[in-house]
Amino acid sequence: EAVAAKQYGDAIHHLGKYLQRTPDDAAMCLEFARARQFVEKPGGQHLLDSIAMLRRVLSLQPDHPIAAAELSA
């Protein structure tokens, strides 16, 4: 919900806590990746974090079309 509402900081906070307990939830990993790219960190680290999470999605679901498309963009 927070990602859809563009409340990216809130989304990262809540999804981060959720993913600590449930790290294999590909759908939530994707939402975290999407939110992470909009909350800047020094040196572009937010983009590297987003890419890492998209790769996590693909490790969980190798044929995930959205994660694959976002990584190839």
Side-chain angles (χ1 to χ4, degrees), residues 2 16 18 20 23-24 27 31 34 36-37 39-41 44-47 51-52 54 58 63-64 67 71-72:
Y18 173 80
Q20 286 178 349
D24 294 339
E31 292 303 309
R34 288 178 160 173
R36 176 75 270 168
Q37 67 184 325
V39 180
E40 292 187 22
K41 291 173 80 177
Q45 185 63 45
H46 60 292
L47 298 175
I51 289 168
L54 289 170
L58 289 178
D63 60 344
H64 196 287
L71 279 172
S72 67

Side-chain angles (χ1 to χ4, degrees), residues 11-70:
I12 289 169
H13 175 75
H14 295 295
L15 288 169
K17 285 186 172 186
Y18 173 80
L19 289 170
Q20 286 178 349
R21 295 185 312 272
T22 315
D24 294 339
D25 187 330
M28 292 301 105
C29 287
L30 178 65
E31 292 303 309
F32 185 92
R34 288 178 160 173
R36 176 75 270 168
Q37 67 184 325
F38 292 108
V39 180
E40 292 187 22
K41 291 173 80 177
Q45 185 63 45
H46 60 292
L47 298 175
L48 297 175
D49 293 347
S50 181
I51 289 168
M53 192 58 76
L54 289 170
R55 288 182 177 148
R56 173 82 177 137
V57 173
L58 289 178
S59 75
L60 296 168
Q61 294 182 2
D63 60 344
H64 196 287
I66 297 169
E70 290 193 17

